[in-house]
Amino acid sequence: MREKHYGLGFFSLLVFIFLLGPLLIISVTSFEPGTVLKFPPQGFSLRWYENIFEVDLFMSTFKTSIVVSLLGNIMALLIGMPAAYALSRFSFRGKDALNALFLSPLLIPGIVLGFTLLRYLIIVYHLPVYAGLLIGHTVIMLPFIIRVIASSLSNFDFAIEEAALSLGAGRLETFFKVVLPNIRSGIIAAILIAFLESFNNVDISVFMTGPGFSTLPIQMLTYVENYFDPTIAAISVMLMILTGILMFLIERLMGLSYFTKR
């Protein structure tokens, strides 16, 4: 048993090194003072972190990513919250098919989904690039909104809602005054997770952006094609910090156990 225990520990260590090793290397190389990405770095400098704010394209695409993620989040929330409530509260014909439809963006490869959105939204229906990008990000955020809110509703006792209705409250009043406050942490967690998925998305954005209009991840890919300095490593470190902060907030709000249920 002792040998098996040590073997499992060694295997777990290898997995952690495999997963975290590249992140550690990127973090270290972001402080390289030279003009070429090197590991190990030849010194220590913050010049490439300063360079992020000096390149106008990084700042403009960062703003675009923020706006698209926030607007898409609002649209996904307006669709996903009623859908999650209906799927959790009621039993009706076609419920499983509807649930599968809402979760299908998670099952379809991102490249296929991005090409399909480009084919129909931009080429066939001639929507503006910004509108197509917003719709695409709403589609990929919707499954996360529905899944997390539905998980939160699974722990809600709907007998409380029935009690409020029996005392004369309307359905909308009951939803906003009884149901919503009880799933508030789940809604906030859903917003944060969907925001991360949208902000870091590449496969949808690469099809739905064009000349003069791009998101931060796509701009990072374009920059790597032309430059090999540590700026991208510095941006990656900042994005990792942002992701870590948001994941910490999600854990504090709900806990990881919410995402292993159902």
Side-chain angles (χ1 to χ4, degrees), residues 133-144:
L133 180 65
L134 185 59
I135 292 174
H137 279 245
T138 301
V139 169
I140 62 174
M141 284 190 279
L142 194 56
F144 296 94

Side-chain angles (χ1 to χ4, degrees), residues 117-155:
L117 292 173
L118 173 67
R119 174 70 175 81
Y120 288 97
L121 295 182
I122 307 299
I123 298 177
V124 176
Y125 295 106
H126 305 290
L127 289 180
V129 174
Y130 190 90
L133 180 65
L134 185 59
I135 292 174
H137 279 245
T138 301
V139 169
I140 62 174
M141 284 190 279
L142 194 56
F144 296 94
I145 294 287
I146 292 177
R147 181 62 185 257
V148 177
I149 294 180
S151 296
S152 186
L153 284 168
S154 67
N155 291 324

Side-chain angles (χ1 to χ4, degrees), residues 56-130:
D56 293 335
L57 286 176
F58 284 142
M59 301 310 298
S60 62
T61 54
F62 174 78
K63 294 176 182 178
T64 300
S65 294
I66 290 291
V67 172
V68 169
S69 297
L70 291 178
L71 292 179
N73 219 318
I74 293 173
M75 294 174 60
L77 194 63
L78 291 176
I79 299 172
M81 194 184 326
Y85 175 78
L87 292 171
S88 301
R89 180 71 175 87
F90 305 108
S91 296
F92 51 88
R93 182 178 298 178
K95 177 179 176 179
D96 292 338
L98 184 62
N99 186 50
L101 176 64
F102 281 129
L103 298 180
S104 60
L106 293 177
L107 306 177
I108 301 174
I111 294 179
V112 175
L113 183 59
F115 178 78
T116 303
L117 292 173
L118 173 67
R119 174 70 175 81
Y120 288 97
L121 295 182
I122 307 299
I123 298 177
V124 176
Y125 295 106
H126 305 290
L127 289 180
V129 174
Y130 190 90

Side-chain angles (χ1 to χ4, degrees), residues 31-48:
F31 299 105
E32 164 64 40
T35 57
V36 179
L37 195 66
K38 297 178 182 178
F39 182 82
Q42 305 302 308
F44 180 87
S45 175
L46 296 176
R47 62 178 292 194
W48 302 112

